[in-house]
């Protein structure tokens, strides 16, 4: 019984530690949309928008017009990198640009075969950057005329996914922030779709867990070694990218966004990461647990650096955090009630104490999870569902490791 009570104390202590964390990673701040945009710079710099696309013919009609019609005052262009799609992605992109009347603003390039040592999305970004006159050191010097500016390379690259919808002023705000604060990398975590039942159960925890791993206040602190970014929307200075060695520096990284942020922060360049409430939104539909499972398992074991020791620690830790509180709360209560009504309540108090510890840990968990629930505009009772989501994410992590061990890995967009 002492061991069980000890686990209850440990679970409550862990969640209390999350609540009292000095960076407050649970409060879903900062939100980039909630502040007034900075004043316009004296000169709006040029931007080249890179959109890797693999079999995105359904997404592009909804998202590409939002990029082509940005109200950005400076010179900008959009490059769609068709990564060997078989669904007519390139043709759809060109048709969208023609329908918007801005064919001159779009370039569609066909992705080359994947070189050894590169992962798909990073290789697509490398090719898109080369189209804008920017190439990694190991890939040589670009010889083409830069697409975005007639006189030279663009000052910024905006890296965004094909399923991301941008508000008309999204690019303007990102550039104004970067110019005012001297940011080498400025990222927004796109607001994920949260409509279906599986999305309501698993999407808020996904962002919650990301914030716990990469507290945004720490990411934005130049004195902190923690770096993070969200690959759906990353504005990066061309000069900083080249100084860091270009995309070749992360060519083999499956978690490319966080790796890119680390690459940039390593050269002592300032970075920023914030949530987006409405200006940057993902249109990707996850209408089943299976779809979300496939998304998570692609990188879960990678996040643990393929370490079986870290995997064991993670699984044990998640079990203590998500299984112990509700099990101790409800199980202890049930046993205590049975003992009360079945006869003399001998040995009652250990089960009452276990139930109290379980409910306490669960209540703190619900408290720190509440900002996530409110951010996604869900009813308050969803605060109490985090244990279910936590167990599912634990299973996804284990599945990711098992797939790695058996060689059944999945790549970019191969879900």
């Amino acid at each position: 019984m002492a061991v069980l009570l000890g686990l209850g104390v440990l679970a409550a202590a862990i969640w209390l530690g999350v609540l009292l964390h000095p960076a407050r990673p649970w409060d879903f701040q900062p939100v980039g949309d909630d502040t007034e945009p900075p004043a316009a710079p004296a000169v709006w710099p040029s931007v080249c928008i890179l959109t890797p696309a693999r079999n995105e013919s359904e997404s592009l009609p909804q998202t590409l017009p939002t990029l082509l019609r940005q109200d950005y005052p400076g010179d900008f262009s959009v490059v769609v990198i068709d990564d060997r799609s078989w669904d007519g992605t390139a043709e759809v992109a060109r048709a969208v640009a023609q329908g918007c009347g801005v064919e001159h603003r779009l370039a569609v390039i066909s992705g080359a075969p994947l070189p050894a040592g590169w992962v798909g999305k990073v290789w697509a970004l490398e090719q898109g950057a080369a189209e804008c006159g920017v190439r990694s050191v190991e890939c040589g010097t670009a010889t083409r005329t830069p697409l975005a500016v007639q006189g030279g390379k663009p000052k910024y690259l905006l890296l965004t996914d094909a399923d991301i919808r941008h508000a008309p002023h999204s690019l303007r705000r990102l550039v104004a922030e970067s110019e005012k604060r001297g940011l080498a990398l400025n990222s927004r975590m796109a607001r994920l779709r949260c409509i279906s039942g599986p999305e309501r159960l698993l999407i808020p925890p996904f962002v919650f867990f990301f914030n716990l791993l990469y507290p945004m206040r720490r990411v934005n602190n130049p004195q902190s070694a923690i770096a993070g970014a969200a690959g759906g929307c990353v504005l990066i200075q061309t000069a900083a990218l080249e100084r860091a060695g270009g995309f070749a520096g992360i060519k083999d990284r499956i978690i490319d966004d966080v790796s890119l942020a680390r690459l940039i922060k390593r050269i002592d360049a300032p970075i920023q990461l914030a949530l987006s409430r409405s200006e940057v939104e993902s249109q990707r539909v996850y209408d089943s647990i299976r779809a979300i499972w496939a998304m998570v398992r692609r990188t879960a074991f990678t996040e643990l650096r393929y370490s079986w020791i870290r995997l064991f620690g993670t699984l044990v830790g998640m079990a203590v955090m998500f299984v112990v509180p509700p099990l101790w709360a409800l199980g202890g209560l049930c046993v205590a009630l049975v003992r009360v009504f079945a006869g003399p309540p001998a040995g009652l108090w250990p089960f009452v104490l276990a139930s109290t510890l379980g409910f306490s840990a669960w209540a703190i968990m619900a408290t720190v999870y509440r900002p996530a629930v409110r951010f996604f505009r869900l009813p308050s009772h969803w605060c109490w569902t985090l244990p279910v989501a936590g167990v599912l994410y634990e299973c996804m992590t284990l599945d990711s490791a098992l797939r790695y061990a058996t060689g059944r890995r999945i790549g970019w967009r191969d879900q």
Side-chain angles (χ1 to χ4, degrees), residues 164 188-192 207 230 232-233 274-276 280-282 376:
I164 302 297
R188 286 286 193 276
M189 173 167 271
R191 183 185 183 89
L192 300 178
V207 183
C233 178
L275 294 166
S276 179
V280 182
E281 293 184 314
S282 172
F376 284 98

Side-chain angles (χ1 to χ4, degrees), residues 171-187:
L171 181 59
R172 179 198 290 258
R173 179 194 283 271
L174 288 167
V175 171
E177 289 177 354
S178 296
E179 288 288 288
K180 181 177 179 59
R181 301 167 192 169
L183 300 173
L185 183 149
N186 189 4
S187 179

